Amino acid sequence: MSTPPAVPPHPSAVPGHSPAGRCPVATPLYGPDLDGDAMPALYEELRREHGPVAPVTIAPGIEAWLVLGHRELLRLTREEQDFSHDPRRWTLLREGRVPADSPILPIVGWRPALLYADGQQHRRMRAAVSDALARINGHELRRSVRATAERLIASFAARREADLVPHYARKLPMMVITGLLGLDERTGQQLVQAIAGMAAANADSVNAGKRMGVILQALIEEKRQRPGNDVPSALLHHPARLTDEEVLHNLVVMLVAGNQTTVNWIATTLRILLCDPAFRSSLTGGHLSVDDALDLVLWRFPPTQNFPARYATRDLTFAGQEIRAGDMLLLGLAGANQDPEILPADGVPVSGNRSHLAFGAGPHTCPAQDPARLITRTAVDTIRHRLPDLELAVPESELAWVKSPWSKGLAALPVRFTDPQLPSATSAPSSISQSGEPS
């Protein structure tokens, strides 16, 4: 696995100013006080002070523009001639003004994957990724998610209590995704542990990243020689002719981005069902569907609240701000979803309206949103039916969000129940075919 370029800090990287040292003063988008409860108020404060594009700092001395307007974010994501995905255009990085140990580098360092490419190169890799995802058998995926969910529920059912973040929402997506990769259960567990180690952002994170790379490289070598009905084989043998390195890094993007997004989506949907009696009653009575709950989460609590990054390809005026070539711009997904310009007068999204920006927009719209929705819907449906008297084990006011400017996820979701409705025999999930037939 390639690593971001190591660059020394530059003395002119001065915190407290907008990109390239220009006024107005930038607002920190990081720190211990900015959790999921505090961020919405910050977005509205930035919108009042600066309009739909606001100057922020995302790490000490690292400045960027946060795009909060719905219309402006659509322009940012659609006009590749003005806004590139390639971080090698980033002025601060090119001028040596980003410390080698900056926490932002692992997120925005260039890799040969669709997330960091524009134009024809992006279209080539996206075609392979989209085709590989489209070949997933939806019926088999639903069966696998349900079986995995029932195994997890059975593992804590006897205790009549659980924390649904670590015991359910965090485990289920990755267990399903490792099946899509064609990994055996033991190797899949090793991959899950390596990805968790990377996300922990501690002293072992670098080694965890190396372990993930070793597992994926071995998987690629195996699928190159003995292809199967799985995502890596589809990527390796696609007409786009991705190199092994491109396959590896696109798998990393799919694993890291897709997994955490689905974890947050499951947990937050369950929170709404547990904390909103009117919504839960409407759902039970058939007036609303689980998909309505999923869409409500995507509007109000998008699993990814801010997403890096685009880089201006030229000097331009954007929503009244003077943007310079090489400036970084962030996708303010949560802020754009709450843009008063596009919400009804009461500020509540209309049921069935999917014009939210939770999955981005334009050529880089998330290609995995359909399987992610299927996984989330099935996970929520299964636990509702198996634990019908599920309730919160703590007051709603005690539920906390993870402290992150990027991810919108619950830190914990403790619940209790008394009457689990478990199947007589819980089978192991079948592998997921991409050919349209059970494997």
Side-chain angles (χ1 to χ4, degrees), residues 365-387:
T365 302
C366 174
Q369 55 185 290
D370 288 341
R373 178 177 287 269
L374 190 154
I375 292 170
T376 304
R377 183 198 303 122
T378 306
V380 172
D381 261 337
T382 303
I383 200 167
R384 285 180 59 237
H385 286 101
R386 296 305 181 199
L387 305 177

Side-chain angles (χ1 to χ4, degrees), residues 64 77 90 100 194 205 225 229 271 273 306 333 347 394 400-401 421:
T77 56
W90 186 20
S205 291
Q225 299 299 322
N229 290 320
R271 172 180 175 155
L273 297 182
N306 298 305
L333 305 176
V394 299
W401 300 98
Q421 304 293 309

